[in-house]
């Protein structure tokens, strides 16, 4: 296992993962029920989207989140759902709520003078609509997507693209996520990492340990801010 970069400094910018970190996906299950699918189908559908997009990226092709999401729902439903039904589910994504800790965390970081962005495998327009609906947009400087960066998480190119858009180096950028594998990818790319335990509960020792961890995003934000300042000129 590759270890995280030791002795991290307080970042100058923070990039938040969106899906399951800022965005609460579970309410989308009601849309599955509205098209005659079990609510429990939402979870394997999302995992299939992630797997298919990773497979495309690993083979050198471009992954499109919404196209993959549509195809995954066809497969998970046994092709029993109409295209209109699939559209109904996907139209629910930008209307999904943020977690309660999302706004306090991003606002705290911005008030502390850090640049804040989103690094997501999701669709750019969908992500921006979600941010606007949940009052997060005024606190977000940039949205960086996998499609824009030309890769897929956890490829280093995504984390480097986020750092570049946020105007700093990977070492000056923290990536915050509820997925240990995402934090692992960020650490391997040279970023500071903040892992939130809300989803997984316990951090897997298969992955590089995060630089900071917390039970919620606000705790992660405070612990990032508590890191020592970088020496002048670093």
């Amino acid at each position: 296992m590759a270890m995280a970069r030791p002795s991290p400094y307080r970042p100058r910018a923070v990039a938040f993962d969106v899906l399951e970190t800022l965005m609460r996906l579970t309410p989308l299950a009601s849309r599955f029920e509205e098209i005659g699918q079990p609510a429990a189908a939402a979870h394997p559908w999302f995992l299939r989207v992630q797997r298919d997009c990773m497979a495309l990226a690993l083979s050198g092709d471009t992954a499109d989140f919404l196209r993959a999401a549509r195809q995954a729902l066809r497969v998970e439903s046994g092709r029993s759902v109409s295209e209109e039904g699939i559209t109904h589910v996907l139209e629910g994504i930008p209307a999904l709520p943020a977690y309660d800790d999302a706004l306090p965390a991003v606002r705290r970081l911005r008030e502390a003078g850090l640049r804040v962005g989103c690094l997501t495998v999701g669709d750019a327009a969908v992500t921006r609509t979600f941010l606007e609906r949940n009052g997060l947009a005024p606190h977000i400087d940039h949205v960086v997507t996998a499609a824009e960066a030309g890769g897929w998480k956890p490829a280093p190119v995504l984390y480097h693209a986020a750092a570049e858009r946020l105007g700093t180096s990977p070492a000056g950028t923290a990536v915050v996520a509820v997925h240990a594998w995402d934090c692992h990818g960020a650490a391997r790319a040279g970023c500071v990492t903040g892992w939130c335990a809300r989803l997984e509960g316990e951090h897997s020792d298969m992955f590089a340990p995060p630089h900071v961890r917390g039970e919620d995003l606000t705790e992660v934000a405070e612990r990032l801010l508590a890191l020592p300042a970088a020496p002048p000129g670093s």
Side-chain angles (χ1 to χ4, degrees), residues 186 204 211:
S204 171
H211 292 103

Side-chain angles (χ1 to χ4, degrees), residues 54-147:
M54 283 185 179
L56 285 168
L58 285 170
S59 64
D61 293 316
T62 301
D64 180 285
F65 180 84
L66 290 179
R67 184 179 179 188
R70 184 172 286 275
Q71 175 61 16
L73 190 42
R74 293 187 188 109
V75 174
E76 288 297 326
S77 68
R79 298 191 175 272
S80 64
V81 176
S82 68
E83 292 302 305
E84 291 77 12
I86 293 173
T87 297
H88 176 70
V89 170
L90 300 187
E91 285 179 344
I93 298 176
L96 287 169
Y99 281 95
D100 292 341
D101 55 354
L103 181 56
V106 299
R107 187 164 51 201
R108 174 73 177 97
L109 293 167
R110 279 297 298 272
E111 289 172 350
L114 277 65
R115 294 183 288 279
V116 180
C118 292
L119 175 59
T120 181
V121 297
D123 178 78
V126 167
T127 300
R128 291 189 178 96
T129 300
F130 159 76
L131 295 172
E132 290 166 1
R133 285 175 177 261
N134 287 279
L136 295 165
H139 308 285
I140 301 295
D141 295 297
H142 295 289
V143 173
V144 180
T145 67

Side-chain angles (χ1 to χ4, degrees), residues 173-185:
T173 304
V175 173
V176 174
V178 296
H179 309 105
W181 63 265
D182 196 355
C183 289
H184 178 89

